[in-house]
Amino acid sequence: MFDRIVIATRNEGKRAELDEILRTALNRPITVLTAADVDLPEVVEDGVTFAANAELKARSAAAHTGLPAIADDSGLAVEVLGGAPGIFSARWSGRHGDDVANYELLLAQLADVPDEHRQAAFRCAGVFVDPRGGTEPEVVLAEGQMRGRLGREPVGEHGFGYDPIFYPDGYAVTTAQLSAEEKNAISHRGQALRALAQKLADRAD
């Protein structure tokens, strides 16, 4: 097993979330390092699926550090758009990471779509890569999704990305109106990472 792991992100919130998930699944403390701790190089995400991009990032982190690594990739899939924006979610407007421009463009594209056909889902792939003990690293994949529908205008101050226009199934509020704890409990990312941690726990038994 392992007592240290690196995650391919500089987000401290993700570090805290994964630390709690791993502690719960593995029933012991794990030191979680971020990209900032180990100065990970940027990775060109040229995969055509969330799983492929997550694996690219995890493999790069594992190769750079020699440690087991976890990476995730996620985005929004809109049914009437055939699953788009998908892997292009973060740069849908043409400017990477411009959340407002991204969801405003998406809302404009869906302006004539009636409410009953505005279904969508946030999807996430989490990948664990262990470079130790062999020429070919071990790769473990887990996925999660949060289904819902898209509103017609942004609502809420929390979250990021498309959260202000996404209403999870069973909720009358957007994910941008949920607290971080409420969102993590149902989110696609939380689902994927908890499933991944459980696979690692089962593997250690």
Side-chain angles (χ1 to χ4, degrees), residues 55-104:
E55 185 173 337
L56 283 170
K57 291 184 283 188
R59 282 183 177 274
S60 175
H64 182 74
T65 62
L67 295 171
I70 285 179
D72 70 275
D73 196 54
S74 61
L76 180 68
V78 181
E79 287 191 11
V80 296
L81 296 181
I87 60 171
F88 303 109
S89 294
R91 53 188 184 277
W92 191 236
S93 66
R95 297 188 297 277
H96 192 282
D98 190 333
D99 293 347
V100 174
N102 287 334
Y103 69 62
E104 284 185 345

Side-chain angles (χ1 to χ4, degrees), residues 124-146:
C124 178
V127 172
F128 169 87
V129 171
D130 191 346
R132 305 166 303 163
T135 55
E136 181 57 29
E138 178 185 11
V139 177
V140 182
L141 165 70
E143 297 178 291
Q145 75 169 346
M146 176 172 57

Side-chain angles (χ1 to χ4, degrees), residues 157-170:
E157 302 297 327
H158 304 302
F160 58 92
Y162 297 89
D163 284 345
I165 64 170
F166 184 85
Y167 290 81
D169 282 349

